[in-house]
Amino acid sequence: MDAWDDAVEDEARRDPRIADELRERLRMIRALEAFTPSAALGVDEPTWVPARIDSFTRLERIGSGGMGIVFRAHDERLGRDVALKLIRPERLLFEGALLRFQREVETVAQLTHPNIVAVHSVGAYAGADERANLPYFAMELLEGRSLSEVLRALCGCAPEALTGADLLAALGGGQSAAGEPGEGGEGGEGGEGSGPPRRTAPAALFEGAWVDAVLRVGVQLAGALEHAHSRGVVHRDVKPSNVMLAPSGRVVLFDFGLTATHAASPQRLTATGNPVGTLVYMAPEQLEGRETSDARADVYSLGVTLYELLALQAPFGGESSLAIQRAVLMGDADRLRGRNRRVTADVEVVVAKAMAKSAADRYPSATALREDLENLLARRPVRAKAPSAWTIVARWVQRRPAAALASASLALLVVGGPLVFLWLERRHSTALEALVDKERAAKGEALAANAELEDVVNFTLGMFRRATPGRNGGAVPDARQMLQLGAQELPALAGRPDSKARIQLVLGELFGLLTEVGSAQPHFDAALEYYAARDDEDARAQRMYGLRRSAHNLMLLRRFEEAEAQLAEALQLARERYGDDALELHVFYATEADLQRDAGRLEASYAARARSLAVLERAGVPEDDVRVARARGLLGVNLESLGRPSEARVALENALAWNGAHDGALGAEESLFLLTLADLDLADGEFARALDRARRAHERLLASHGADNFMTEQAELTIADVLGRTGRFGEALPMLAGLAASIGARLPAAHPLVVRVRRLQLGCLVGAGRHVDAVSLCQSTGLVAACVEAHGLADSRTRQVLHTLAMSAQIVQDYECAAAVLQRLIDAEFAAEPWGARHADAILMLAAMRLKTDQTEQLSASEAQLRDLVAGIGAAPLPVVSSANGQTYEGGYMALVFLARVAGRDPARLAAARDLERRAEERKQVVMEPQPSAARPQSDGGS
């Protein structure tokens, strides 16, 4: 031991309570010796970072702050540049800082939204002696400039004179970055040395007036917060330096290091009462260090950011931090229209409501703010209302109590003291009683909401506790097992029905996301039954949400009538809540489109998809908005189903082009569009292109959604389809077997996706010559019945399955099975095209098999079918391609030949047999001789 060890041990003996902590601190200090001390000293060049970290090659520093440093790096594994963020080594000495860094990674990793920075990977870099690990994570490399840099570039400009084009011009000196937002460091995400960003054509965001451009920025940021809040994440540090603006028009929110979550760790990262955030942008409740600050604090910060962009100056100022804090707490901001005369009254009202001093007076959610920002852009009335004259006076009194008291005293003296005082006393008494009643009601609602939230949090924490290895024999359960463990604890909430119903809705959606549709539905049913028994606004809102999700789940269960009824009720509740032409309705029509498509009602599905798009267009959603791009791409998927390939291809390729220009904003739909294009390529025989598209989709889905995700499996299925069609059965069959086991365990046997897997398996088995396995597959899985239920008897897919099975059954000499399947095929072909070529071939195949195998008892049935066939064909020739040998024969002639053979088996009917042979020869002379291209049929009829 050295002097440090001696000192620590001496101190530990004097105060055993801190012994463990002292030893741990000494261990960490020594571990940090693995890194060059320059990092701790804050020198400019971070020599402690090597040129290569795992698979990343460091290129240049692009941002730094008190928490960490961000580098531009190249990911050798995936061949792309990323923003690599490392915590400063000295921060490892402070547990709260490390937890904050880790929480930023965990928080952003669970958020998937085009306006939130994406985390690609997470790791830890070990020093030279491997005594310490330096955490890092790789983010997408954002292109453009932060809004704080834009504001600095426009400093001194008059906001009235600016346009959206000036916002684009302000990005001209930007760079690619995803850096640390300052924190008293070197300036954050900017930095020098990277050069200007790649310039693109001006996006819709930069068109028109400055005010409109700022509102479009606000819509994207509100959408990002809406996504985060829906997952229980509150950012708590929304400000211009944490927002990146790309020349493409994409707005990205990053730095989630100060987030709070509904299910956060019990260990706080900031002391109680300490404000968290950046002073000017902090809501009053944050400045006061209140633990009750929620998502409305983010709404406030976004309002301040919009104010600053519109006015080119912050709403609050002062010579000291204390003065700024006082101004924020008093809500003492100058009127926005006084700083920018081009701001309309409605814009001022919306920004003021977002920045309201009291959280209760603000927009209740980022969703509500986004909707009013969209209303402003569409020139529709906003929901926010201008404050009344009394409210304005009351706020003035709050801000300037001395001046208010003097003015009131003068008024009382002039008007007459006694009468005014009496009137004020009565008014005050009435108002006080109303406030007390209102406070009691609000307190009751708040207590109920808090209890419900506490139940949800405790339930979630309990589910994770039960998932620890020590409680499960050392095994860590997967997501499905965790949900099942959680569901077992629901009876404990019997006395808290509100909480139980909310948790059951969440469990239903989570099971549904894992395609555990059978496990999901009971939770939806129980929650919906509870909310139906209540008659209040919150219950109707929860039921509306639950009905839509349940309808989607019932669709996967093939319970279409129930799904349609639930979706209709959900749509009615949405109309009552939002209005007949509200933007929110587009998601309900989108769900209806999915339902109708899965039910095989393709025209109805297309109509619903068109309604969804029309709602977006009527609401004035910009052409460049991701929702419009997604809806138009999905319309292309519908067009492909309707057999309109050229229109479908244009719509899908346009959607993918938009996605490429917007940094992959479509998310999982990009893969869906690629797979649909792959199906179109398959139909055109473009197998190489189809395989390339399917593999690209599979790679992206595998990285973003995992191997057992519904869409990942669909991509793998398309790959197997291409392999099967190109004769690579040995590669396709193992993939199909795995997919059949995985998908078949979660979806009904008659689901189109399950049927498709089985059909491809059947085709590949036959292609590989494994006819015994093909027959066994059909019999063990009930493929024919499932195909009929999924698509109908007359559908071409059902008829192909019947035809393939009939051929395989004959090859393996299972004539009983072959006869039953051929009879079903005859019925199917008759339903599709009576007396057509394929119908005739099926009848002749069955007759030929019965003649060949001496099935005397069944020949009478075949004779009746052959006579009906001759009558149905009539005098016109019917060329038929033989299923057995591919040769072409004439259906009427062959039917007469077979009738003669059947009759000839009975000595009493020899005359009838000769007559039928004569008729066959006559038909051959009249119908077949003028057709030199038609091959003469074989003696067995070619069937």
Side-chain angles (χ1 to χ4, degrees), residues 218-231:
V219 167
Q220 293 193 47
L221 284 176
L225 291 174
E226 180 181 6
H227 176 79
H229 295 166
S230 70
R231 282 150 179 78

Side-chain angles (χ1 to χ4, degrees), residues 900-912:
R901 291 182 184 177
V902 172
R905 295 172 69 89
D906 183 357
R909 299 176 60 194
L910 291 178

Side-chain angles (χ1 to χ4, degrees), residues 547-549 551-553 555 567 585-597 608-609 612:
L547 283 167
R548 188 172 73 85
R549 299 303 306 166
H552 189 274
N553 199 70
M555 170 189 75
L567 188 58
L585 298 186
H586 86 276
V587 296
F588 294 88
Y589 292 132
T591 302
E592 181 187 1
D594 292 337
L595 193 159
Q596 298 288 6
R597 184 170 184 264
R609 189 76 66 193
S612 177

Side-chain angles (χ1 to χ4, degrees), residues 747-928:
L747 292 177
H751 191 279
L753 188 59
V754 178
V755 172
R756 185 185 177 195
V757 176
R758 298 299 189 191
R759 286 194 300 108
L760 291 178
Q761 274 187 296
L762 176 64
C764 287
L765 287 170
V766 171
R770 295 167 55 182
H771 296 283
V772 173
D773 293 333
V775 174
S776 176
L777 172 75
C778 291
Q779 292 175 337
S780 63
T781 62
L783 177 56
V784 172
C787 207
V788 171
E789 184 179 343
H791 306 302
L793 182 63
D795 187 86
S796 61
R797 291 162 289 192
T798 304
R799 290 183 284 136
Q800 185 59 47
V801 166
L802 288 165
H803 183 275
T804 304
L805 176 57
M807 296 298 295
S808 290
Q810 289 185 76
I811 290 172
V812 301
Q813 298 183 3
D814 187 348
Y815 297 120
E816 183 179 353
C817 172
V821 173
L822 281 170
Q823 185 57 59
R824 199 75 187 276
L825 177 60
I826 290 169
D827 296 338
E829 295 293 356
F830 184 83
E833 185 186 4
W835 319 121
R838 292 177 64 91
H839 181 210
D841 187 55
I843 291 174
L844 291 164
M845 269 201 296
L846 180 56
M849 187 190 72
R850 284 172 172 169
L851 284 166
K852 179 179 179 181
T853 57
D854 292 324
Q855 297 179 21
T856 307
E857 296 80 2
Q858 290 81 29
L859 280 176
S860 59
S862 281
E863 184 176 7
Q865 290 175 338
L866 290 167
R867 291 188 183 281
D868 289 342
L869 177 61
V870 171
I873 293 174
L878 180 65
V880 180
V881 178
S882 169
S883 297
N885 55 31
Q887 292 186 353
T888 301
Y889 63 88
E890 202 280 315
Y893 165 75
M894 205 77 256
L896 289 168
V897 169
F898 278 14
L899 279 170
R901 291 182 184 177
V902 172
R905 295 172 69 89
D906 183 357
R909 299 176 60 194
L910 291 178
R914 285 193 293 271
D915 182 60
L916 287 167
E917 290 174 350
R918 179 184 56 76
R919 288 175 57 192
E921 287 300 317
E922 289 175 355
R923 184 175 179 88
K924 182 172 69 172
Q925 296 298 324
V926 174
V927 174
M928 297 180 63

